[in-house]
């Protein structure tokens, strides 16, 4: 079973995350930020990865600590659930449209964390979610999971659609990359 349960408590957030890579996209999320919950739900449902995320954060400050720390915990959970990465496809890419918006993601579960993020949002917020936190979430996720992650907004006008297409593109790329397709580690080095 490729699962992990991560708990992290700081003065800013108290988080518990569970992931099951070989799931059915069953998701339970409660971060206190409605749009972020919506995006994490899309991430789980579209990747087919079961996720439980519970977070109590200092939302009286703003959403930054909550979003970034959830990214840290999800990243750590993915890294733990992947183990030695034996047999995984390793790479995944996806274009995802949402109405007038189109997003692209390409990723490598390489053990070499990196984020290339290219998007321009039109407004500062979507509900109680600061649009700039999209990049912060994916940076925290990439660096704590050991994933090389490239995300790009191709085009779009509605920020809700742009962000949602990005989360779903990452989900579909992850779905392909975590699949077991062989027995060994897909690397000339023999390890990832």
């Amino acid at each position: 079973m490729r699962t992990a349960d991560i708990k992290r408590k700081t003065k800013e957030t108290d988080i518990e995350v569970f992931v099951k890579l070989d799931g059915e996209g069953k998701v339970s999320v409660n971060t206190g930020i409605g749009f972020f919950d919506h995006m994490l739900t899309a991430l789980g449902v579209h990747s087919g990865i079961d996720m439980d995320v519970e977070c109590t954060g200092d939302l009286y400050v703003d959403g930054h600590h909550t979003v970034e720390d959830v990214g840290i915990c999800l990243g750590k959970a993915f890294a733990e659930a992947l183990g030695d990465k034996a047999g995984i496809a390793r790479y995944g890419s996806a274009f995802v449209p949402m109405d007038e918006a189109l997003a692209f993601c390409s990723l490598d579960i390489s053990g070499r964390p990196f984020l290339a993020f290219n998007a321009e949002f039109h407004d500062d917020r979507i509900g109680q979610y600061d649009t700039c936190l999209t990049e912060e979430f994916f940076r925290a996720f990439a660096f704590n999971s050991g994933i090389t992650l490239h995300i790009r907004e191709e085009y779009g006008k509605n920020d809700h659609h742009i962000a949602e297409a990005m989360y779903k593109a990452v989900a579909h790329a992850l779905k392909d990359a975590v699949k077991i397709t062989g027995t060994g580690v897909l690397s000339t080095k023999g390890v990832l």
Side-chain angles (χ1 to χ4, degrees), residues 1 10 22 29 37 77 81 94-95 119 133 151 153 157 179 182 184 188:
M1 296 293 288
T10 70
D22 305 302
V29 179
D37 291 356
F95 280 98
L133 295 180
I151 307 168
E153 170 203 353
K157 293 181 180 176
K179 283 181 187 170
T188 56

Side-chain angles (χ1 to χ4, degrees), residues 71-87:
I72 289 169
C73 292
L74 268 176
K76 288 179 184 286
F78 268 76
E80 184 178 312
L82 283 164
D84 67 2
K85 305 175 191 76

Side-chain angles (χ1 to χ4, degrees), residues 138-155:
F138 285 120
R139 179 179 294 108
F141 176 74
F143 277 79
N144 286 276
S145 61
I147 293 176
T148 300
L149 183 58
H150 292 249
I151 307 168
R152 183 175 69 231
E153 170 203 353
E154 297 294 319
Y155 45 80

Side-chain angles (χ1 to χ4, degrees), residues 115 117 134-142 149 151 167 170:
L115 176 67
F117 184 90
T134 308
E135 183 172 3
E136 296 303 321
F137 169 76
F138 285 120
R139 179 179 294 108
F141 176 74
L149 183 58
I151 307 168
Y167 276 88
V170 171

Side-chain angles (χ1 to χ4, degrees), residues 16-33:
E16 184 168 2
V17 167
F18 170 80
V19 298
K20 180 180 177 186
L21 299 184
D22 305 302
E24 300 171 355
K26 294 179 182 176
V27 179
S28 174
V29 179
N30 182 19
T31 67
I33 304 172

Side-chain angles (χ1 to χ4, degrees), residues 23-109:
E24 300 171 355
K26 294 179 182 176
V27 179
S28 174
V29 179
N30 182 19
T31 67
I33 304 172
F35 184 77
F36 187 45
D37 291 356
H38 180 45
M39 294 301 94
L40 293 177
T41 300
L43 183 66
V45 168
H46 282 264
S47 65
I49 295 169
D50 293 349
M51 294 189 331
D52 292 325
V53 178
E54 284 293 324
C55 175
T56 303
D58 56 358
L59 296 180
Y60 65 90
V61 175
D62 66 11
H64 190 285
H65 300 142
T66 294
V67 173
E68 182 177 39
D69 289 5
V70 167
I72 289 169
C73 292
L74 268 176
K76 288 179 184 286
F78 268 76
E80 184 178 312
L82 283 164
D84 67 2
K85 305 175 191 76
I88 64 168
R90 179 175 165 179
Y91 298 97
S93 295
F95 280 98
V96 170
M98 183 159 186
D99 298 343
E100 87 299 341
L102 181 67
F104 172 72
C105 172
S106 187
L107 61 84
D108 175 11
I109 302 175

